[in-house]
Amino acid sequence: MSDRVNFGSKLGIVLATAGSAVGLGNVWRFPYMTGQNGGAAFIIIYLGCILFLGVPGMVSEFIVGRHSQSNTARAYASFSSNKGWGAIGILGIITSTIILGFYAVVAGWCLYYLGESVVGNLKGDPAFVQSYFQAFSSDPVKPAALGVTFILITHFIIVRGVRDGIERASKLMMPTLFILLLVIVGASCMLPEAEKGLEFLFKPDISKVNGDVFLSALGQSFYSMSIAMGCICTYASYFSKSTNLPNSAMQIGVIDFFVALLAGLLIFPAAFSVGVNPDSGPSLIFITLPNVFQNAFGDPTLGYIVSVLFYILLSMAALTSLISLHEVSTAFLQEEIGTTRKRAAIGVTVACMVIGVICSLSMGAWSNVKLFGMTIFDTFDFVTGQLFLPLVGFLTCIFLGWFVPHKIVKDEFTNMGTLRNGTLFHFYLLLVKYVCPICILFIFLHQFGLI
Ligand code: TRP
């Protein structure tokens, strides 16, 4: 596998991996979870989860990926004579393909809202914005077509390859995303009564903290760092041998955390300034915010600009994550079937389009088709997010902590002893052997009501 491509630079590695991590999870999921779980107290716990569970989880996937220099399925199998471990990788590939399908649908909504805010259609009272979203998301054609559009954009970046496609797109989009974020945060924080939002974000209310808050923070930290679906492992297979794995994971964890925090700084001051409750759940981005943007900024032009910039930001964040999800299965097909990158990508794109269209229809025309009592969209979300994600995360920790020879893990962690981070390695091993698997087990048992 020595002719395998690599990322071209350290910056490329960090931006591409941060591109995978920074996504709808940061800008959409994190703010409403913070709203529902008590603001600052949740954020502090979340930061702890990122540092002590997310970062070691990411390092573990880095180690598997870089050591094997191959797609996720082969990567896990390459460490041990028991090829059964390859099943973890296969599970990651299945999960990422399904997620790609429905993530693209939500990304398509962002694209639609971008178009609608550009032409100025998102104006009206709260009831109008709500019925607007319901009518759109249950439409049989528009959301499916936009989801497919997003998958096609992803496809064309993927076929250009790791350096010219993934790395270049990330180097372009990630800095743009940071700038947009800072501009909108600035506008939002200058609104009258913005300080109420800041207080909510920065003043911890310990009385809100309970077991659920911990578990939500933990689940969100894994989701947000793209752990347990093969994305991180696949990207790491393109890292060079001199990449400092723990440092890179830490940098990405910090970037991911700050983007989420900035998304909170964007949404809460604006929401509080117009007196809207920020705990409105998943509809926050598509129902609450269009209203907030309209009303918060006295000048309609400013409201218009902020709204357009915000949906550009969301669409770009979604795109860099979609690219990483696509790469998992593309690398797998390309290497295992021995076909060209282009053909492999076409296979993945077609599969994801089918899944995406099914998910999209299940929000409207097929909403009465139920699997295990849920719509197809919700079933996919549940099976991947609540079942496969913790399972793969748990197995990865057990695999690295208990089955892979410690020498291999240490050599990767310390770059064959050249990094002099041996003490940190022992701490990492402790987290991966005991702390991470036990915490994941807790989330798992808790969500099935067993504890
Ligand atoms: N981390 C991304 C987000 O925050 C979503 C994502 C991309 C993801 N790849 C993943 C989540 C792999 C879990 C696993 O939106």
Side-chain angles (χ1 to χ4, degrees):
M1 293 259 152
S2 54
D3 56 346
R4 215 160 179 272
V5 281
N6 272 344
F7 283 118
S9 66
K10 274 194 188 137
L11 183 69
I13 286 177
V14 172
L15 289 184
T17 317
S20 169
V22 170
L24 297 174
N26 302 59
V27 192
W28 176 42
R29 227 163 155 233
F30 176 81
Y32 81 72
M33 289 185 91
T34 306
Q36 289 172 334
N37 288 302
F42 175 80
I43 296 179
I44 295 169
I45 297 169
Y46 178 71
L47 179 62
C49 290
I50 290 273
L51 294 179
F52 296 109
L53 302 164
V55 171
M58 185 173 263
V59 172
S60 306
E61 277 201 45
F62 276 173
I63 291 176
V64 176
R66 189 182 61 178
H67 181 78
S68 62
Q69 309 226 330
S70 54
N71 69 77
T72 308
R74 198 178 295 188
Y76 279 89
S78 73
F79 280 88
S80 141
S81 51
N82 183 349
K83 297 293 171 225
W85 286 108
I88 309 180
I90 302 268
L91 211 54
I93 290 163
I94 298 172
T95 315
S96 63
T97 313
I98 298 176
I99 294 243
L100 175 54
F102 71 75
Y103 201 91
V105 173
V106 183
W109 296 350
C110 303
L111 204 59
Y112 183 72
Y113 269 61
L114 170 59
E116 291 298 274
S117 51
V118 169
V119 292
N121 277 353
L122 287 178
K123 288 198 200 102
D125 58 14
F128 166 78
V129 180
Q130 173 145 18
S131 60
Y132 187 84
F133 176 69
Q134 268 150 5
F136 162 68
S137 60
S138 56
D139 186 285
V141 181
K142 278 190 219 160
L146 285 159
V148 165
T149 310
F150 237 113
I151 296 175
L152 284 175
I153 301 174
T154 310
H155 175 88
F156 288 112
I157 294 174
I158 286 288
V159 285
R160 298 188 68 115
V162 172
R163 276 195 197 187
D164 289 341
I166 301 176
E167 188 169 348
R168 252 172 90 187
S170 311
K171 278 183 166 168
L172 205 81
M173 282 192 279
M174 292 308 285
T176 317
L177 189 143
F178 296 137
I179 295 169
L180 283 181
L181 199 53
L182 289 175
V183 170
I184 314 178
V185 168
S188 175
C189 288
M190 280 185 317
L191 289 169
E193 308 218 33
E195 59 288 350
K196 282 198 201 144
L198 297 179
E199 193 180 308
F200 179 75
L201 269 181
F202 291 116
K203 210 164 145 203
D205 178 359
I206 303 295
S207 69
K208 295 258 171 59
V209 178
N210 57 25
D212 281 351
V213 174
F214 268 96
L215 295 173
S216 308
L218 182 53
Q220 171 64 7
S221 67
F222 268 51
Y223 183 86
S224 188
M225 289 189 73
S226 301
I227 291 168
M229 263 182 228
C231 293
I232 300 301
C233 175
T234 306
Y235 273 11
S237 72
Y238 307 124
F239 287 6
S240 81
K241 286 287 171 200
S242 63
T243 306
N244 183 331
L245 299 184
N247 264 8
S248 306
M250 195 63 176
Q251 284 163 4
I252 294 153
V254 168
I255 294 177
D256 191 58
F257 174 74
F258 275 105
V259 171
L261 195 64
L262 285 171
L265 275 176
L266 182 169
I267 289 167
F268 292 114
F272 275 94
S273 100
V274 287
V276 167
N277 209 348
D279 65 356
S280 57
S283 61
L284 184 65
I285 294 285
F286 298 105
I287 298 177
T288 314
L289 279 190
N291 270 312
V292 167
F293 289 146
Q294 266 184 70
N295 301 325
F297 300 94
D299 176 349
T301 319
L302 192 58
Y304 173 86
I305 295 175
V306 167
S307 162
V308 171
L309 293 183
F310 178 74
Y311 288 107
I312 297 180
L313 170 89
L314 263 184
S315 305
M316 281 199 316
L319 182 57
T320 48
S321 297
L322 281 172
I323 294 172
S324 72
L325 286 161
H326 200 295
E327 181 61 25
V328 178
S329 323
T330 303
F332 170 72
L333 281 188
Q334 185 187 355
E335 288 172 9
E336 298 308 314
I337 301 183
T339 176
T340 61
R341 186 173 175 85
K342 193 169 168 197
R343 286 210 183 127
I346 292 176
V348 176
T349 298
V350 170
C352 294
M353 281 181 180
V354 173
I355 297 171
V357 170
I358 293 174
C359 284
S360 184
L361 288 175
S362 82
M363 306 285 291
W366 292 0
S367 59
N368 45 8
V369 180
K370 299 267 167 34
L371 296 174
F372 313 106
M374 294 177 273
T375 62
I376 303 175
F377 188 101
D378 290 343
T379 310
F380 281 171
D381 188 19
F382 177 80
V383 171
T384 51
Q386 327 256 14
L387 229 60
F388 289 180
L389 202 127
L391 188 65
V392 174
F394 178 79
L395 291 175
T396 302
C397 294
I398 298 289
F399 182 54
L400 271 188
W402 298 90
F403 289 92
V404 174
H406 283 175
K407 172 155 184 355
I408 299 185
V409 181
K410 190 171 184 180
D411 282 349
E412 287 295 332
F413 192 94
T414 61
N415 284 357
M416 310 300 279
T418 55
L419 292 178
R420 311 207 170 278
N421 54 4
T423 319
L424 193 63
F425 173 71
H426 289 293
F427 184 52
Y428 159 76
L429 211 54
L430 186 82
L431 292 175
V432 159
K433 273 180 103 158
Y434 304 103
V435 182
C436 296
I438 291 173
C439 289
I440 299 172
L441 203 62
F442 267 114
I443 319 188
F444 203 66
L445 296 177
H446 180 79
Q447 70 197 9
F448 289 101
L450 297 172
I451 52 167

